[in-house]
Amino acid sequence: MKILTIGNSFTWSLRSCFPAIAEEQKEELKLEFANFGGCEFRRHWAYITAEENEPCCKMYKEYTMKLRELLASDDWDVVTIQSASHESWDYANYTPFAGLIIDYVKKHAPGAKIIIQQTWAYREDAPRLAEWGFDRNEMYRRLDQAYRKLGTEYNLPIIPTGKAVELALAEQPCKFVNYDPDLLLTLRWPDLPPQANSIVGACSWRKDPATGEMTLRRDTIHLNIRGQYLQACVWYGFLFNKDPRDIQWVHEEVSGSDAAFLRSMAARALKEF
């Protein structure tokens, strides 16, 4: 199966587990990315427009190809699209750009099946949630509604990654416990804020190249390795029409029992979405 993603970092996270799962299940997979970090539908369309208007402009495949060239470079079975996470909860940000991209893919890769990836809500401690004035549950409710509307409007199937994240967070026996933001002011290397049982987000210390000092990096939006394994199971089950519970491969940083739980949540998301 040949898959091209037109997305952002929320599909780059497939690299850690999805190819390994496909290989273990003896499925041939070609996975390529037309991604930019944080790239919204409107920015992808701006890049496409620039490429079409300027012969020398090439924004994709490490700035060596136009998107239409990448779309025509192989007989893609699947092309996926998705919103940028920070705009995923507001359908007003989808239009008209998602539709323009869908039409563009149909024109330049007419044999490909276009599929939407439903992304996920941020972790409880994400600063943007406070800025927006709602919690992660409301973020998921809104993005779920927006993705379903897009799928209905263009008659496109949806990979329910976000649904699987919600199920796993709700059903795991031990929950992620949020913390007082003031805790961050007291932490010194190598201490970290609580992260146990999270699926979204990871914190780490890194050296500032300018000052040489250790600084706390707090990622509250991307999938950690548990989430990446869950995402890969959902994609495998959806795209290959297989039961994720049959997967045997487990990432070295995920326990066997947890992997079995995550596979079961992937299977349930595919059934219930």
Side-chain angles (χ1 to χ4, degrees), residues 36-67:
F36 296 90
C39 199
E40 309 90 346
F41 284 130
R42 56 184 165 79
R43 182 147 56 102
H44 273 297
W45 185 247
Y47 292 157
I48 293 168
T49 302
E51 290 182 336
E52 292 299 322
N53 291 335
E54 174 52 61
C56 295
C57 180
K58 297 184 178 183
M59 296 298 299
Y60 291 86
K61 194 139 181 168
E62 306 298 330
Y63 303 105
T64 64
M65 299 180 76
K66 297 178 182 289
L67 183 59

Side-chain angles (χ1 to χ4, degrees), residues 176-189:
F176 168 77
V177 178
N178 201 4
Y179 51 88
D180 187 333
D182 288 343
L183 172 67
L184 301 174
L185 302 175
T186 70
L187 296 176
R188 299 294 182 268
W189 185 89

Side-chain angles (χ1 to χ4, degrees), residues 74-135:
D74 210 332
D75 295 324
W76 301 105
D77 296 296
V78 171
V79 174
T80 68
I81 62 170
Q82 65 196 52
S83 173
S85 62
H86 55 275
E87 294 191 349
S88 61
W89 52 272
D90 186 355
Y91 191 73
N93 293 314
Y94 290 45
T95 58
F97 310 107
L100 294 169
I101 292 168
I102 289 166
D103 290 341
Y104 192 83
V105 172
K106 289 179 177 178
K107 178 179 179 180
H108 295 287
K113 185 175 185 178
I114 303 172
I115 299 177
I116 300 164
Q117 176 185 217
Q118 179 209 41
T119 56
W120 51 88
Y122 293 171
R123 199 166 71 181
E124 288 92 328
D125 56 333
R128 276 181 170 170
L129 293 174
E131 294 171 11
W132 295 334
F134 49 75
D135 63 14

